[in-house]
Amino acid sequence: MEKLESALNEILKTGKGNSILLELDAELYFKTIIKAIKKLQKKGLSGIYVSTQRPFKNISSLLKKEGININKIIFIDVASAASKEAQEKCKGCVHISPELDVDELVEAIYNSAEKMKGKKFIFIDSITTFALYKPISESLRFSEFLISQVKGKKDIILILNVAKDLSQKKFIRDVVMRADKTIEIKD
Amino acid sequence: MIDTKKLKAELEDIPNDSIVLIETSAEKAMDVNLAVMKILTDKDYTGLIISASRPCKNLLVLYEKNSINTKKVMILCAVCKSQGGDAKNTERVIHLERISALTEMSISLNEAIKKTEGGKFVFIDSITTMLIYNKPNVFAIFIHSILTKMRMNMVSGLLISIENETNKDIRAEIAQLCDKVIKL
């Protein structure tokens, strides 16, 4: 967590290196995410949480239980779309269509970011789960596009999550090459 | 023998709609199955079991022997039909064509969830066996999809995985989807 702390401090100070790939222990995955979000909020950032792993109701209630201010987060519910579940309209949640079209998803992220004032983060949870449903080329295009979009912007931090055991996958190595930093979190 | 006290304590402090991955050895897997069923059915939950490891008849006999209330059990048996065994559906058993019939499994599970009143949990025994019969990527999508459906319906889930015998990538993909990983 210290590495993430210093990386965030550097980005917020200099505006440089604002795309981060987080390698998380699969067993402590969600606990680590909570810590990371808390850290981001403590630094005054609002955020966009692209949730491919958990549906909106689950992720938002768990984060709320952990004391995270979910009013400062817009959730993009990819998990419900991927499992083709009925999508209820909820405050703070953006739905996308079950095709999981990369362009539609990028547009949803962009539009959500536009609605937020001040410094913000985009949290992709996770890129490997997204890749279960889309060809590797599309998942890579998605990551690359986001990385290129945030480059040089002082008010935005992009965080892409990946479980440590999956970080050796070929396409994740490609993402590592393009992201500004890779941080392995052990605690 | 497994540490039942530890398992009981681990299952005690998890919220209702949590998903738990239980990693154990092949030798202990059946004991884990029986212990989980005993702990949760005693709490009045109904267990919806996807059984890929043992035929339903065998499971029901073992449950009765271990004083598990079989009225609180619904087995989605993926073993009998594929082995050419007796495969008549009953009040407590739904037979699936085979372990690789994931769409049928998903539909049957959804129906069982809807039909079952009161507290319930889904119990998958085991992801290791299911991975023998399914392509890893297809199986990971199936697990992600049913876990999402369970979470949307506030249903808890337990998945058994045999330690060191489950495809490493898929194990990591599934572990990160779970709320807790218990090693027994």
Side-chain angles (χ1 to χ4, degrees):
Chain A
M1 262 314 151
E2 278 170 26
K3 280 186 196 169
L4 178 62
E5 173 80 31
S6 59
L8 294 178
N9 288 340
E10 190 193 325
I11 296 166
L12 294 172
K13 201 173 164 189
T14 64
K16 285 178 185 165
N18 51 356
S19 56
I20 301 171
L21 185 90
L22 280 190
E23 287 184 6
L24 315 175
D25 206 326
E27 270 117 272
L28 301 169
Y29 191 86
F30 196 64
K31 279 185 185 166
T32 315
I33 283 177
I34 290 166
K35 284 184 192 171
I37 300 280
K38 278 186 177 173
K39 210 168 262 303
L40 289 159
Q41 282 204 336
K42 212 174 166 186
K43 294 192 178 298
L45 277 79
S46 307
I48 297 146
Y49 193 119
V50 180
S51 182
T52 65
Q53 300 201 336
R54 293 165 184 263
F56 167 71
K57 272 190 182 168
N58 180 269
I59 184 74
S60 58
S61 69
L62 287 173
L63 294 184
K64 196 177 174 184
K65 253 187 224 168
E66 293 293 335
I68 289 166
N69 184 355
I70 59 165
N71 295 322
K72 291 194 168 178
I73 300 176
I74 295 175
F75 294 88
I76 300 181
D77 187 351
V78 179
S80 299
S83 66
K84 297 180 174 57
E85 282 290 293
Q87 300 176 339
E88 251 177 75
K89 268 192 178 177
C90 299
K91 193 184 163 229
C93 174
V94 176
H95 289 292
I96 60 161
S97 54
E99 289 74 28
L100 309 187
D101 180 68
V102 167
D103 298 313
E104 185 192 354
L105 183 52
V106 168
E107 197 182 330
I109 294 170
Y110 182 81
N111 289 341
S112 302
E114 286 283 285
K115 287 179 194 160
M116 290 180 153
K117 285 175 190 163
K119 293 186 173 175
K120 58 202 125 218
F121 62 86
I122 301 171
F123 205 79
I124 311 292
D125 179 27
S126 78
I127 193 72
T128 55
T129 310
F130 185 73
L132 289 176
Y133 291 89
K134 299 301 284 185
I136 297 298
S137 57
E138 281 294 276
S139 306
L140 202 52
R141 181 166 79 87
F142 174 57
S143 327
E144 279 180 6
F145 187 77
L146 289 178
I147 291 169
S148 67
Q149 285 303 299
V150 301
K151 213 166 242 358
K153 289 187 180 161
K154 285 183 180 171
D155 64 341
I156 197 152
I157 296 172
L158 172 67
I159 296 182
L160 302 130
N161 289 341
V162 62
K164 213 181 331 177
D165 287 343
L166 300 172
S167 61
Q168 292 309 315
K169 283 191 168 194
K170 169 79 175 70
F171 95 94
I172 295 296
R173 300 323 299 163
D174 289 339
V175 177
V176 167
M177 278 166 55
R178 283 159 180 85
D180 294 316
K181 279 188 184 71
T182 299
I183 299 174
E184 186 183 337
I185 297 184
K186 289 176 182 170
D187 51 350
Chain B
M1 284 291 285
I2 60 157
D3 188 345
T4 316
K5 269 189 188 169
K6 182 189 171 189
L7 180 62
K8 202 170 183 177
E10 295 270 20
L11 296 181
E12 202 69 51
D13 70 337
I14 54 167
N16 271 342
D17 57 341
S18 288
I19 310 289
V20 178
L21 178 69
I22 303 176
E23 293 191 307
T24 189
S25 65
E27 293 79 18
K28 290 179 184 168
M30 194 59 229
D31 287 342
V32 171
N33 181 320
L34 294 171
V36 165
M37 291 304 292
K38 180 73 183 152
I39 293 165
L40 294 176
T41 52
D42 278 355
K43 283 181 159 183
D44 216 26
Y45 285 101
T46 301
L48 309 171
I49 305 142
I50 296 179
S51 181
S53 302
R54 285 187 182 239
C56 52
K57 268 190 185 169
N58 180 258
L59 268 185
L60 287 169
V61 169
L62 286 168
Y63 289 161
E64 272 170 13
K65 260 191 196 167
N66 286 275
S67 311
I68 292 162
N69 181 2
T70 52
K71 285 184 181 160
K72 291 281 184 190
V73 170
M74 165 68 83
I75 302 174
L76 279 76
C77 179
V79 180
C80 290
K81 264 195 182 176
S82 61
Q83 299 302 317
D86 181 18
K88 207 173 167 190
N89 287 350
T90 67
E91 206 184 332
R92 304 261 67 88
V93 180
I94 296 166
H95 286 282
L96 305 169
E97 284 301 320
R98 54 191 180 278
I99 299 173
S100 58
L102 298 179
T103 306
E104 182 199 19
M105 207 175 272
S106 175
I107 292 168
S108 299
L109 181 64
N110 271 347
E111 283 171 1
I113 288 173
K114 278 180 196 155
K115 231 168 61 182
T116 308
E117 286 175 5
K120 64 204 113 175
F121 64 96
V122 173
F123 187 26
I124 300 177
D125 183 10
S126 66
I127 59 168
T128 314
T129 310
M130 293 183 79
L131 266 166
I132 297 171
Y133 296 89
N134 291 285
K135 284 183 184 165
N137 197 58
V138 173
F139 184 67
I141 291 173
F142 165 76
I143 290 290
H144 179 251
S145 170
I146 63 165
L147 295 192
T148 301
K149 286 184 169 98
M150 282 155 59
R151 284 187 163 127
M152 290 181 91
N153 289 293
M154 303 294 282
V155 177
S156 317
L158 295 108
L159 299 88
I160 291 190
S161 167
I162 307 299
E163 214 166 3
N164 304 322
E165 287 183 30
T166 305
N167 175 307
K168 199 181 155 212
D169 285 359
I170 300 303
R171 187 243 166 229
E173 191 61 62
I174 293 173
Q176 65 173 345
L177 299 174
C178 294
D179 297 286
K180 196 172 194 175
V181 179
I182 302 174
K183 295 192 185 214
L184 288 171

